[in-house]
Amino acid sequence: LNRLTVPDRATISNMSPEFGCTITYFPIDEQTLNYLKLTGRDIELINIVEAYAKENLLWRENEDSIIYTDVIEVDLSKIEPSISGPKRPHDRISLNNVKNLFNFNGNAKKTNIKYGNIELELKDGSVVIAAITSCTNTSNPSVMIGAGLLAKKAVEKGLSKKPWVKTSLAPGSRVVTKYLEKSNLLPYLQALGFHIVGYGCTTCIGNSGSLPEKISNAILENNLEVVSVLSGNRNFEARVHPLVKMNFLMSPMLVVVYSIVGRIDVNVLEEVLDYDPNGNPVYLKDIWPSQSEIIEVINNVLEPKDFLENYKNIFEGDERWKKLEVEFSKLYNWDENSTYIRRAPYFDNMEIEIGKLKDIENARVLVMLGDSITTDHISPAGSISPKSPAGEYLISKGVDIKDFNSYGSRRGNHEVMIRGTFANVRLKNLLVDREGWWTIYLPENKEMTIYEASLKYKENKIPLIVLAGKEYGSGSSRDWAAKGPYLLGIKAVIAESFERIHRSNLVGMGILPLQFKEGESYKKLGLSGKEVYNINGISEGLEPRKLLKVQAIKENGEIIEFEVICRLDNNVEIEYYKNGGILQYVLRKFLKI
């Protein structure tokens, strides 16, 4: 801890969900004060922080006398460089084992394309996107300076990125640009294609933009399993780009390395990365900067005045922001024609008094899903397909495809987001044979979009449920993964297990999370998803983790009965559910004041 800087600590803490916890706390110590000094904080404030922490026994000292609940010993010599992927952030892979896991053994699908004046071979495992992006890493000077130094050494060796790799650099702060310029490292990153494209969420939220047409066509025509490498913290299916099936998270330095190599099925720790203009092999050790080199550059270029200068006018905005015409009023003036911000219907037809609890009767399954369904499957954050319900809606509103933007950017418009619910291009709804936003409308057995089916069910006053496997709702704690299903008319999700935060979010939107009993699942119970469902025991009153009875009535009249655990885990959650969700609960509390 004496040598672990605050940016390094923040990187570790920001990746907490990836290694299985909610948050990682670090104590206040000299490194904290160093960071406050470096970022230009007032000396009086720094003194207060130090005095307060010491007075309240929050300062890191006398560690040997502290009694901890658990102590975990870690042998630092056994920690290996790693990346994660290809579909989940917590799928850790040791760097020296990447080739073994993704070795296509000569069975890779491949094709030759003419790209400009050169012939390229694109194949399974080719890296088509390399992005230094996201808040996790790109405000950390050690890895950003490290990436710049690695780029400098690579360029000096005569190396370049592969022509089929789309590269980008999105720093988390303008200060990063400043110190990359001051260190004269930015030109080397640019020489490898890492030009600054903006500040904030880009590639890992789906804002990578389109791939070159010839690359896209080659992927589609040959069903290639291509790769993205990025320094973000999310890599769920279809999130980065709908054509990229394998996505790997890694440090900014390794992103640069893989842009040079151009494929994933290689051991970068041992194999040749590329050859210099004289035909000499270049290995990772030849271009990897030492920690002392990185620290020397940081000490030379990072100054408190950079932070003060860049953040002093942060709330003023640019000229376009200043010229925006606004109407000053106590209430927001909703624009019904906006495709970005609309008044959501959460409080429409809400009664002041709470209604009686009711059982869920004659429900139908809207989607039937497997294990590890993420919030990105439920509510994608990336690009919007023109063929999807959300895409068709935007086109009907006169929005050009080039202006679609992403689901993440249009989260203020429920009309887009409800159509985007369960609309991930990689979603596998087991009621149908194809991926994407499709389902079967029952009892007609008619295939249609999930959104269209929800409207027909709503018209016929039929409640909806979801059947799922293990770890339902894993991934980012996206609120729209609960809001969207609520607006579709989903009343309950029956799963083998839930991701903790998503379960809580479902409760917050008035959706009942129900868990199969240990050893049971929709497979073991013989459920097809085409049954009519009755969920009984709700109207009698609820208590934490109450057992409810479910009847699944098959098309031939056969009835399958089973019990589920109602995952309202405490009395507060029961109150939220009684109110129809946390929003209604808070509003009713407010109205009674």
Side-chain angles (χ1 to χ4, degrees):
L1 284 177
N2 288 336
R3 290 191 283 181
L4 194 66
T5 66
V6 167
D8 284 337
R9 297 176 186 187
T11 300
I12 294 168
S13 187
N14 203 3
M15 297 296 283
S16 295
E18 282 66 64
F19 53 81
C21 70
T22 301
I23 190 64
T24 303
Y25 287 111
F26 290 92
I28 301 169
D29 57 12
E30 289 293 341
Q31 286 286 6
T32 312
L33 305 184
N34 291 341
Y35 179 76
L36 293 173
K37 293 171 187 173
L38 177 66
T39 51
R41 311 306 167 95
D42 186 81
I43 189 65
E44 184 179 352
L45 172 67
I46 297 171
N47 290 337
I48 290 173
V49 169
E50 181 178 7
Y52 182 90
K54 289 180 175 178
E55 190 69 26
N56 289 279
L57 306 179
L58 299 174
W59 187 261
R60 185 171 69 87
E61 60 184 356
N62 303 323
E63 291 175 290
D64 292 338
S65 64
I66 298 174
I67 301 173
Y68 292 100
T69 307
D70 296 294
V71 176
I72 300 170
E73 293 190 4
V74 178
D75 184 347
L76 296 180
S77 68
K78 292 184 178 179
I79 293 178
E80 299 175 311
S82 64
I83 65 174
S84 78
K87 295 180 181 180
R88 302 185 304 177
H90 52 283
D91 289 337
R92 177 186 171 277
I93 309 167
S94 294
L95 198 54
N96 61 9
N97 200 33
V98 174
K99 181 177 181 177
N100 295 332
L101 287 177
F102 301 99
N103 187 351
F104 295 95
N105 294 320
N107 296 321
K109 300 185 295 294
K110 53 189 175 183
T111 184
N112 292 315
I113 60 172
K114 189 162 186 181
Y115 192 68
N117 297 321
I118 56 176
E119 288 276 345
L120 300 180
E121 183 183 74
L122 206 63
K123 60 182 180 179
D124 289 339
S126 291
V127 173
V128 295
I129 294 175
I132 300 175
T133 180
S134 169
C135 55
T136 305
N137 281 298
T138 52
S139 287
N140 186 336
S142 63
V143 292
M144 295 304 290
I145 292 293
L149 285 170
L150 188 143
K152 180 175 185 289
K153 291 172 183 283
V155 171
E156 289 172 346
K157 291 279 187 183
L159 305 186
S160 60
K161 79 173 182 75
K162 292 295 182 286
W164 58 81
V165 183
K166 181 174 186 176
T167 46
S168 61
L169 168 59
S173 165
R174 292 181 185 273
V175 175
V176 178
T177 304
K178 187 75 174 176
Y179 63 63
L180 286 175
E181 289 174 340
K182 285 169 68 175
S183 60
N184 198 33
L185 294 176
L186 188 57
Y188 294 103
L189 285 164
Q190 292 170 334
L192 294 177
F194 290 94
H195 294 267
I196 292 175
V197 295
Y199 300 88
C201 293
T202 54
T203 300
C204 78
I205 200 69
N207 290 333
S208 61
S210 58
L211 295 172
E213 187 176 359
K214 288 193 174 181
I215 301 291
S216 297
N217 290 341
I219 296 169
L220 284 167
E221 291 168 9
N222 297 277
N223 193 27
L224 300 180
E225 296 195 29
V226 293
V227 171
S228 77
V229 296
L230 59 150
S231 65
N233 59 2
R234 296 289 183 268
N235 61 337
F236 303 117
E237 285 186 289
R239 175 167 170 143
V240 173
H241 194 284
L243 295 182
V244 181
K245 292 185 178 179
M246 297 196 291
N247 306 284
F248 296 89
L249 307 179
M250 57 189 65
S251 76
M253 298 157 80
L254 283 175
V255 170
V256 177
V257 171
Y258 278 100
S259 75
I260 295 168
V261 175
R263 67 186 202 278
I264 198 68
D265 54 332
V266 61
N267 185 342
V268 296
L269 292 176
E270 297 179 3
E271 295 183 52
V272 175
L273 302 183
D274 208 342
Y275 294 86
D276 69 18
N278 295 319
N280 298 313
V282 179
Y283 293 89
L284 185 61
K285 60 184 174 60
D286 299 324
I287 60 172
W288 193 267
S290 67
Q291 196 63 27
S292 59
E293 288 177 285
I294 294 171
I295 292 171
E296 183 182 355
V297 174
I298 291 174
N299 291 338
N300 289 335
V301 300
L302 205 54
E303 302 177 81
K305 68 177 184 180
D306 294 332
F307 290 88
L308 293 170
E309 184 66 27
N310 275 279
Y311 288 110
K312 68 179 181 182
N313 300 319
I314 192 170
F315 294 111
E316 291 186 11
D318 61 13
E319 288 306 309
R320 289 175 298 177
W321 177 260
K322 292 175 182 176
K323 289 179 181 177
L324 283 176
E325 294 183 9
V326 294
E327 180 181 318
F328 290 93
S329 63
K330 289 185 177 180
L331 295 176
Y332 185 78
N333 185 23
W334 300 99
D335 179 0
E336 289 301 312
N337 295 317
S338 174
T339 57
Y340 274 99
I341 301 176
R342 293 282 301 278
R343 184 183 64 81
Y346 304 127
F347 302 119
D348 290 359
N349 305 315
M350 189 190 97
E351 301 286 344
I352 299 300
E353 297 300 324
I354 301 172
K356 290 184 178 179
L357 286 172
K358 295 179 180 178
D359 292 339
I360 298 171
E361 297 178 335
N362 300 315
R364 286 287 188 176
V365 176
L366 185 63
V367 288
M368 184 172 176
L369 306 165
D371 296 338
S372 297
I373 294 298
T374 70
T375 50
D376 268 75
H377 287 110
I378 304 166
S379 180
S383 59
I384 302 171
S385 168
K387 297 178 182 177
S388 69
E392 290 178 348
Y393 169 80
L394 290 173
I395 290 171
S396 75
K397 293 296 180 182
V399 180
D400 289 336
I401 293 174
K402 64 180 177 62
D403 297 322
F404 272 13
N405 217 318
S406 65
Y407 286 109
S409 67
R410 292 188 180 271
R411 70 186 74 179
N413 186 333
H414 64 279
E415 296 288 1
V416 173
M417 299 305 289
I418 187 175
R419 289 167 172 82
T421 304
F422 296 113
N424 187 303
V425 295
R426 295 281 173 263
L427 182 77
K428 297 177 181 67
N429 180 6
L430 301 178
L431 295 179
V432 290
D433 293 327
R434 54 173 165 167
E435 294 182 335
W437 43 83
W438 302 99
T439 193
I440 293 287
Y441 176 73
L442 299 164
E444 297 174 14
N445 274 332
K446 185 178 179 182
E447 187 176 283
M448 60 182 69
T449 69
I450 288 169
Y451 175 68
E452 287 175 316
S454 75
L455 292 180
K456 287 179 71 70
Y457 284 126
K458 194 173 292 184
E459 184 182 328
N460 294 314
K461 297 183 179 178
I462 296 174
L464 299 173
I465 64 171
V466 172
L467 292 181
K470 300 179 181 69
E471 298 176 342
Y472 181 79
S474 58
S476 305
S477 58
R478 186 169 305 117
D479 57 346
W480 268 107
K483 289 177 180 176
Y486 165 83
L487 292 175
L488 285 175
I490 289 169
K491 303 301 181 184
V493 177
I494 308 178
E496 290 180 63
S497 63
F498 292 89
E499 191 278 333
R500 180 175 54 85
I501 299 174
H502 184 64
R503 183 204 62 81
S504 176
N505 286 350
L506 288 174
V507 176
M509 289 309 301
I511 297 174
L512 205 56
L514 304 174
Q515 190 167 322
F516 288 107
K517 292 172 75 174
E518 185 70 31
E520 293 187 347
S521 66
Y522 62 73
K523 290 180 183 177
K524 291 182 179 177
L525 290 165
L527 302 174
S528 68
K530 293 186 177 182
E531 302 85 0
V532 173
Y533 287 79
N534 295 319
I535 302 171
N536 301 315
I538 301 171
S539 59
E540 301 168 2
L542 292 171
E543 57 190 48
R545 298 203 170 209
K546 180 181 179 180
L547 287 178
L548 301 178
K549 296 184 185 301
V550 180
Q551 281 185 330
I553 306 167
K554 287 183 170 288
E555 294 166 291
N556 62 7
E558 179 191 347
I559 299 176
I560 298 175
E561 293 187 323
F562 58 98
E563 289 185 326
V564 291
I565 304 163
C566 178
R567 288 298 310 277
L568 298 175
D569 289 354
N570 53 59
N571 289 321
V572 172
E573 290 186 342
I574 291 172
E575 288 303 311
Y576 291 163
Y577 181 71
K578 285 180 179 177
N579 278 270
I582 193 171
L583 298 173
Q584 293 84 348
Y585 172 85
V586 171
L587 181 57
R588 287 191 176 103
K589 286 279 187 185
F590 175 77
L591 291 174
K592 289 179 181 178
I593 293 177

